[in-house]
DNA sequence: TAAACATATGAACACATGCTCATGCATTCA
DNA sequence: TGAATGCATGAGCATGTGTTCATATGTTTA
């Protein structure tokens, strides 16, 4: 990492820098936040979450309706499950997934409202 | 992509599949959404956004207070600028960045409220 | 119990991402 | 005008990510 101590503004903005340094969130919080949003940062997972917003679905139906391979759907559902964004229940051979949290749809709505400039 | 037409559930859940197929968002919307959230999915960018939430800052101060190289800060600011999450103004040699949108902090708050299980 | 079915998982690959390093560009000032 | 300052940018590299393919696991049914 390059040294930037030559920045002449340091004198002028020392307060700003100190303020940020003491207010910055904990590393753990930052990382958890990033991981949380990273899960939303993939088109396939957004499609899956949106589909589940319409109602509980088995893996096979998710894959079929979103034109995914069974394996791809399963891998992504694992990611969503790990992030506790979806939950599941078994019914015979099928496993039904659904959204685990109301935050999910609220976060999606915030995103939609942003990209549509509202 | 593996064929999964053998899934016996197709008969049972045909309605579900059709419902998703007709309700699914446009590909463009999905991709825009994913790109939007992807920007939040990195610890460095979250730190920068949080710092800017405290107030307008020049690149040098951002880099200094967050222990980033000038180059790393600049690259990430470019990403944030492209996503229209930050704006900037020049004042002499310095360039001051600030949050471009109230959505930014709302989205972050939603994320925080999720990871803290509220 | 064997076969069929629904889903999960691991390896491998192509591609994306974030950093550093070197350098270029714009602005100010001596 | 030339040197110094603040920032941007491109190349290159290490690492991360999403998919497919092959196969394993768990459940039902003949």
């Amino acid at each position: 990492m390059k040294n930037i101590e030559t920045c002449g503004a340091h004198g002028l903005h020392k307060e700003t820098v100190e303020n940020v340094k003491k207010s910055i969130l904990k590393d753990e919080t930052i990382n958890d936040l990033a991981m949380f949003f990273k899960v939303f940062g993939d088109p396939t997972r957004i499609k899956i979450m949106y589909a589940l917003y319409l109602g509980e679905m088995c893996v096979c139906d998710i894959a079929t309706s979103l034109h995914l391979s069974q394996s791809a759907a399963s891998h992504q559902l694992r990611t969503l499950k790990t992030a506790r964004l979806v939950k599941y229940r078994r019914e015979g051979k099928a496993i039904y997934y659904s959204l685990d949290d109301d935050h999910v749809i609220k976060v999606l709505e915030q995103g939609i409202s942003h990209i549509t400039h509202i």
Side-chain angles (χ1 to χ4, degrees), chain A residues 65-85:
Chain A
S65 56
L66 301 180
H67 306 291
L68 298 170
S69 70
Q70 177 269 319
S71 181
S74 188
H75 277 296
Q76 296 294 18
L77 285 165
R78 180 178 154 85
T79 299
L80 292 168
K81 189 169 51 179
T82 301
R84 295 201 322 269
L85 298 178

Side-chain angles (χ1 to χ4, degrees), chain A residues 92-116:
Chain A
K93 282 175 290 191
I95 294 185
Y96 290 87
Y97 281 86
S98 54
L99 295 184
D100 189 22
D101 196 306
D102 287 342
H103 280 113
V104 175
I105 204 63
K106 296 231 172 160
V107 170
L108 286 178
E109 279 169 357
Q110 281 278 346
I112 291 175
S113 116
H114 181 90
I115 65 173
T116 54

Side-chain angles (χ1 to χ4, degrees), chain A residues 2-94:
Chain A
K2 216 168 191 176
N3 200 328
I4 51 171
E5 287 185 12
T6 52
C7 175
H10 280 183
L12 286 171
H13 306 132
K14 197 168 183 183
E15 266 185 50
T16 302
V17 171
E18 292 308 317
N19 186 30
V20 170
K21 280 188 180 175
K22 76 173 167 53
S23 306
I24 188 68
L25 300 171
K26 282 188 302 179
D27 266 18
E28 191 193 344
T29 306
I30 296 280
N31 289 331
D32 288 352
L33 258 181
M35 285 202 298
F36 173 72
F37 286 118
K38 195 171 288 188
V39 178
F40 288 84
D42 176 78
T44 302
R45 285 192 291 269
I46 290 189
K47 283 181 203 166
I48 292 177
M49 287 187 274
Y50 188 77
L52 294 181
Y53 171 61
L54 302 175
E56 185 188 57
M57 292 177 76
C58 71
V59 176
C60 181
D61 286 346
I62 293 171
T64 303
S65 56
L66 301 180
H67 306 291
L68 298 170
S69 70
Q70 177 269 319
S71 181
S74 188
H75 277 296
Q76 296 294 18
L77 285 165
R78 180 178 154 85
T79 299
L80 292 168
K81 189 169 51 179
T82 301
R84 295 201 322 269
L85 298 178
V86 302
K87 59 181 188 295
Y88 66 97
R89 66 180 180 87
R90 181 179 276 277
E91 188 177 308
K93 282 175 290 191

